[in-house]
Amino acid sequence: MQRITHFVDGSSTSLESTRTSAVYNPSTGEQSGEVLLASADDTRAAIAAAARAFPAWSALSPLKRARVLFNYKALLEKHADELTTLISNEHGKVFSDARGELTRGIEVVEFACGMPHLQKGENSPQVGTGIDSFSLMQPLGVCAGITPFNFPAMVPMWMFPIAIAAGNTFVLKPSEKDPSATKRMVELFSEAGLPDGVLNLINGDKESVDVLLTDPAIEAVSFVGSTPIAEYVYSTASAHGKRVQALGGAKNHMVVMPDADLDQTADALIGAAYGSAGERCMAISVAVPVGEETAEKLRSKLLERLDRLRIGPSIVDGQDNDMGPLVSRAHLDKVSGYIASGVEQGAELVRDGRNFEADGNGFFIGGTLFDHAKPGMRIYDEEIFGPVLTIVRAASFDEALELVNAHEFGNGSAIFTRDGDSAHQYYSRVKAGMVGINVPIPVPMAFHCFGGWKRSLFGALHTHGPDGVRFYTRMKTVTARWPSGLREQTNHFTMPTN
Ligand code: NAD
């Protein structure tokens, strides 16, 4: 059985770890490996390696740092099949979807290759007579990243390529559920020429996370995961004086206006609700048709498509499935429990994924559809993170918008309409960080910022794009007077003005 170790100071190592956690292939339900879980001391060893590497790495010219990232991008592309297979085998998402996640991650590396330009700072000559002012965007030091199971390649790449390109060193703690792709990505960065200790990976659980949140050598923490842990990470690391961005859970709504093209809408909705078995923070889990006629038509179009959903192993010879299994047996039980609660609380269960019959012992569940749900029901209020779409009917645009805005989460949201005014009203007034207009999953490109509102994000700055550069750099503003300017200075005692 495969044993997944850490990567510290340029090489794979077990450190002193004795605890392990099982890793499964969700398509077969079989254990495929075991991952080491770092102790507090192991974690401190990784932080120490990153701290040792910081002075030399941060002193290197941004151009030389960027060249290592160019090599890294080429290596990621060369190893794309290998990485995609690792993702599919441990996460369970289908091959084409895993490739898509890898591509979106590589796009962040491409963005980070532009760091010599992105990190230029500002410059104002002659802010006073003979005085120039300019800013430096300097790296912070050792940064930490803690990532979820659902994007083992893309989410870590939201973090470390930008941090490292900006001159920081990094300790990454990926999910213990599917660590192999992340570990391989870290090895490849080393093969691309990254000096030892600049990027370290420790596998682990709460024991290692707690060290990352509190150790004085860590300057900044990026977290992506569920809301309760995001809140814990934010409050703990902030209390220890660190810069923190903690992205949490979601319940993304799609408002469907009566004028929308309902075939296009249903096609988009099926992919957005059931793709990756609903295990996406930007999945649409609530459809809000406006008006009874829209609701009835949308429901029947969804059912046609739902009944054609191809569900099966994440990797098959020939054609891909649409949807693979859930990540674990425990998660399958959790999602099934939500379906039971929806029935108990009075929602109409239109399709029950618990009836899906899979070959073998994989963690499969079918696409599930609820109608006539409302706030107060757990299937509406809480994040299920499975292939469960809930229809909540609204009588008007205003009622739909109010519903979306009253929800605890505000990660993504979408409106489907052909009417420019409805679209404009929606994107102007909706309380969500990412909005799609006839786009079901509006994940911003690497050169824009990704992040939610409300309890979907704790912290001021979003991830990647300009916010990513700001997060991983500290501004220093220099005001310089040259000797010829000093000659003109007469009064040293008043506040300088022009
Ligand atoms: P999770 O919160 O269980 O785990 C995330 C990370 O935190 C993992 O590395 C895990 O080991 C660690 N962790 C878990 N429990 C901990 C604890 N008690 N103390 C300290 N660390 C702990 O999340 P998950 O199940 O891996 O991922 C799914 C969640 O992530 C969903 O809620 C999803 O919405 C969210 N997510 C959000 C975004 C976003 O951009 N907002 C993106 C992807 C996933």
Side-chain angles (χ1 to χ4, degrees):
M1 193 181 308
Q2 208 205 344
R3 192 174 167 83
I4 302 138
T5 56
H6 317 291
F7 190 88
V8 174
D9 217 1
S11 50
S12 288
T13 166
S14 300
L15 295 169
E16 304 296 320
S17 306
T18 50
R19 293 182 307 128
T20 59
S21 178
V23 176
Y24 291 89
N25 180 334
S27 295
T28 62
E30 280 161 20
Q31 186 177 349
S32 57
E34 62 175 13
V35 60
L36 292 176
L37 299 177
S39 66
D41 279 345
D42 293 336
T43 311
R44 283 190 274 271
I47 297 171
R52 282 194 303 275
F54 178 70
W57 182 246
S58 57
L60 211 61
S61 84
L63 203 58
K64 287 193 175 144
R65 290 199 295 257
R67 284 186 188 133
V68 183
L69 275 103
F70 277 106
N71 292 343
Y72 184 41
K73 171 187 145 57
L75 268 187
L76 287 168
E77 280 164 352
K78 189 171 156 202
H79 291 266
D81 276 351
E82 177 194 352
L83 290 166
T84 307
T85 305
L86 289 173
I87 297 168
S88 284
N89 279 346
E90 290 183 359
H91 176 284
K93 65 177 75 175
V94 297
F95 195 82
S96 56
D97 191 33
R99 175 57 65 90
E101 118 157 57
L102 183 65
T103 303
R104 295 304 294 260
I106 292 173
E107 285 166 7
V108 183
V109 178
E110 288 168 355
F111 170 71
C113 285
M115 199 54 76
H117 170 72
L118 297 165
Q119 209 176 352
K120 275 193 310 204
E122 296 155 348
N123 183 10
S124 300
Q126 289 289 88
V127 291
T129 310
I131 302 175
D132 296 340
S133 201
F134 57 92
S135 60
L136 310 177
M137 293 169 76
Q138 295 191 316
L140 308 173
V142 182
C143 302
I146 301 149
T147 54
F149 80 83
N150 69 318
F151 285 110
M154 181 182 78
V155 169
M157 285 201 273
W158 285 352
M159 304 173 180
F160 69 77
I162 299 177
I164 286 172
N168 300 283
T169 55
F170 208 89
V171 179
L172 176 65
K173 207 291 299 164
S175 171
E176 62 277 34
K177 293 187 185 124
D178 50 6
S180 292
T182 324
K183 167 96 191 289
R184 188 71 188 115
M185 275 162 29
V186 168
E187 288 170 356
L188 289 173
F189 211 164
S190 182
E191 287 172 29
L194 194 69
D196 294 351
V198 175
L199 175 59
N200 307 277
L201 175 142
I202 42 155
N203 285 303
D205 55 7
K206 181 170 167 52
E207 183 168 339
S208 46
V209 171
D210 282 346
V211 176
L212 296 175
L213 306 183
T214 54
D215 191 288
I218 297 282
E219 294 287 339
V221 176
S222 299
F223 172 88
V224 178
S226 59
T227 287
I229 311 297
E231 195 165 24
Y232 167 73
V233 164
Y234 182 75
S235 55
T236 309
S238 300
H240 285 81
K242 299 175 198 329
R243 186 178 283 203
V244 193
Q245 53 181 185
L247 284 70
K251 194 81 179 174
N252 306 312
H253 297 63
M254 179 198 280
V255 172
V256 182
M257 295 300 288
D259 60 63
D261 179 321
L262 289 183
D263 282 309
Q264 281 177 6
T265 307
D267 284 341
L269 194 44
I270 283 285
Y274 301 107
S276 203
E279 291 173 322
R280 288 179 180 145
C281 61
M282 288 292 277
I284 295 287
S285 48
V286 184
V288 190
V290 172
E292 286 300 313
E293 199 186 329
T294 316
E296 289 303 325
K297 284 187 192 158
L298 184 67
R299 174 175 159 152
S300 73
K301 286 181 189 298
L302 281 174
L303 284 177
E304 282 164 25
R305 288 158 174 81
L306 191 47
D307 293 338
R308 291 200 304 262
L309 209 59
R310 293 168 306 170
I311 303 170
S314 53
I315 297 182
V316 278
D317 288 334
Q319 218 184 4
D320 232 3
N321 283 309
D322 296 323
M323 186 181 118
L326 289 171
V327 70
S328 66
R329 173 78 53 201
H331 193 50
L332 177 64
D333 293 343
K334 188 175 164 191
V335 173
S336 302
Y338 271 113
I339 298 173
S341 87
V343 176
E344 275 160 31
Q345 293 189 301
E348 183 195 354
L349 181 56
V350 185
R351 283 290 180 278
D352 186 351
R354 294 172 300 179
N355 297 332
F356 178 77
E357 283 175 21
D359 300 333
N361 295 319
F363 310 138
F364 287 97
I365 190 163
T368 298
L369 183 68
F370 278 105
D371 196 358
H372 299 288
K374 48 180 195 278
M377 295 178 175
R378 288 184 57 218
I379 54 161
Y380 176 73
D381 292 346
E382 298 175 21
E383 181 184 45
I384 300 175
F385 222 54
V388 180
L389 177 65
T390 299
I391 299 176
V392 181
R393 299 176 177 219
S396 64
F397 172 85
D398 283 340
E399 193 181 304
L401 183 63
E402 234 166 74
L403 180 85
V404 179
N405 284 349
H407 203 281
E408 167 185 3
F409 297 119
N411 211 39
S413 187
I415 184 166
F416 272 63
T417 181
R418 280 186 270 216
D419 177 48
D421 195 40
S422 304
H424 175 253
Q425 283 295 316
Y426 195 74
Y427 75 71
S428 305
R429 292 164 57 195
V430 72
K431 293 180 183 164
M434 294 165 282
V435 185
I437 300 165
N438 300 319
V439 172
I441 304 194
V443 175
M445 299 300 286
F447 36 92
H448 285 270
C449 305
F450 180 109
W453 284 18
K454 299 192 274 187
R455 288 173 61 74
S456 292
L457 185 140
F458 302 85
L461 294 173
H462 291 194
T463 188
H464 63 66
D467 265 11
V469 180
R470 277 181 216 115
F471 185 79
Y472 290 118
T473 54
R474 201 168 353 229
M475 186 81 93
K476 182 183 280 176
T477 306
V478 181
T479 305
R481 191 198 298 271
W482 308 110
S484 57
L486 271 174
R487 279 198 293 276
E488 298 186 10
Q489 193 181 15
T490 51
N491 181 350
H492 294 274
F493 300 101
T494 52
M495 185 72 184
T497 61
N498 292 315

